[in-house]
Amino acid sequence: MLFCKKIRFFIIAQAFLESMCGQKKIPDLEYKIIADEFGLILELCSKKEENIEKFIFSLPEELMFFHSSSIDLSVSDMAAEALKRSGAKLAVVESCTGGLISKIVTDKPGSSDYFWGGFITYDNKAKETIDVPAFIIEKYGSVSKETAISMAEKGLEKSGADICASVSGIAGPGGGTVDKPVGTVWIAVKRDIVKTFLFLFSGTRKEIRDKTAQAALLIVYKELLYCKALDSIVFEHYI
């Protein structure tokens, strides 16, 4: 008898996943990676079910992976599920994504039940309209942990929603520096406390924006259902 299990991965490079699988020296375990419109699916097969579970247990905790029940769901599907199950309303404050997160969420019918709306604060002056202090932007820059935190805090305060996600990054192709290259993205989520995440994405402008929107909704999903969104993690392999 052959046991098989599929795991869904988002915003992760196929080369990184292949490397990670190759490093796991588990006997009698075969794997296949399938790419689709949502990301990657890892199919694991073995004659011993415990070999599959051993592999899954060994995965880094910060990897945002989902087991077989979720492989056919998009990020917006999962975020919607988490928001509806928790009875929470989401607000967003978007800079580099320019409204893309709001678009993805509201593509789903019935999203008004769990989505308050958002603020598009693309320019620094736009950030100040929701009371992000100018001195924070001047001191740390618009793409920084401190600015992302303030965006999430002010977004939650002004919307009255239950959870707020903010994003600020450099989508390119220009605008990058040695310290903050193109693909640098800060995401903050404010519920009871603020949690922050630094991503180092690569790809085209569209790819970086798409990955940023997916990452923000994945963090909301994990925060609401599992409270497992990790604070101040640098996701260097989420490329």
Side-chain angles (χ1 to χ4, degrees):
M1 181 176 182
L2 190 65
F3 295 94
C4 292
K5 194 163 199 174
K6 293 181 179 179
I7 306 174
R8 158 72 67 191
F9 289 83
F10 295 93
I11 53 171
I12 183 172
Q14 185 165 342
F16 176 84
L17 185 55
E18 288 174 348
S19 174
M20 186 178 65
C21 290
Q23 293 170 9
K24 308 290 184 185
K25 305 300 182 182
I26 299 176
D28 186 39
L29 181 66
E30 297 180 357
Y31 71 89
K32 179 170 66 173
I33 298 173
I34 306 161
D36 66 8
E37 61 179 313
F38 299 135
L40 300 174
I41 295 172
L42 175 63
E43 184 175 20
L44 301 166
C45 292
S46 177
K47 293 179 181 178
K48 296 181 179 179
E49 192 171 14
E50 57 266 30
N51 287 341
I52 296 175
E53 297 305 319
K54 183 179 179 181
F55 177 90
I56 294 172
F57 184 76
S58 72
L59 291 172
E61 185 180 2
E62 67 267 21
L63 281 178
M64 293 182 180
F65 63 90
F66 300 88
H67 286 207
S68 56
S69 61
S70 298
I71 64 166
D72 294 325
L73 297 179
S74 67
V75 170
S76 60
D77 289 328
M78 293 189 296
E81 173 195 349
L83 288 161
K84 287 188 286 189
R85 189 180 300 182
S86 64
K89 275 216 169 187
L90 170 68
V92 295
V93 183
E94 303 186 60
S95 184
C96 62
T97 47
L100 180 60
I101 301 173
S102 299
K103 189 257 183 207
I104 291 172
V105 174
T106 56
D107 277 346
K108 292 186 65 62
S111 54
S112 59
D113 292 339
Y114 51 83
F115 186 60
W116 177 87
F119 305 93
I120 301 175
T121 59
Y122 203 75
D123 187 87
N124 288 342
K125 290 296 183 183
K127 294 177 179 64
E128 293 177 28
T129 64
I130 62 167
D131 296 334
V132 174
F135 78 86
I136 288 182
I137 299 173
E138 291 168 5
K139 182 175 182 179
Y140 300 103
S142 58
V143 180
S144 64
K145 176 179 180 178
E146 292 78 10
T147 298
I149 286 174
S150 185
M151 289 166 65
E153 289 177 334
K154 297 302 181 182
L156 191 70
E157 176 187 321
K158 291 188 173 296
S159 67
D162 301 292
I163 185 170
C164 181
S166 69
V167 299
S168 187
I170 305 168
T177 65
V178 173
D179 294 333
K180 297 178 183 178
V182 170
T184 300
V185 175
W186 276 100
I187 298 177
V189 172
K190 167 73 172 176
R191 197 181 182 193
D192 300 321
I193 62 173
V194 182
K195 296 182 179 182
T196 57
F197 308 83
L198 173 61
F199 291 84
L200 305 176
F201 293 128
S202 68
T204 65
R205 179 178 178 84
K206 181 182 185 304
E207 288 169 340
I208 291 170
R209 282 159 49 94
D210 286 345
K211 291 174 185 178
T212 299
Q214 283 198 344
L217 292 175
L218 285 170
I219 291 168
V220 169
Y221 170 85
K222 294 195 80 175
E223 178 66 24
L224 289 173
L225 286 191
Y226 303 111
C227 294
K228 289 191 69 174
L230 305 176
D231 189 35
S232 300
I233 294 294
V234 179
F235 290 94
E236 295 180 83
H237 52 257
Y238 280 82
I239 60 176

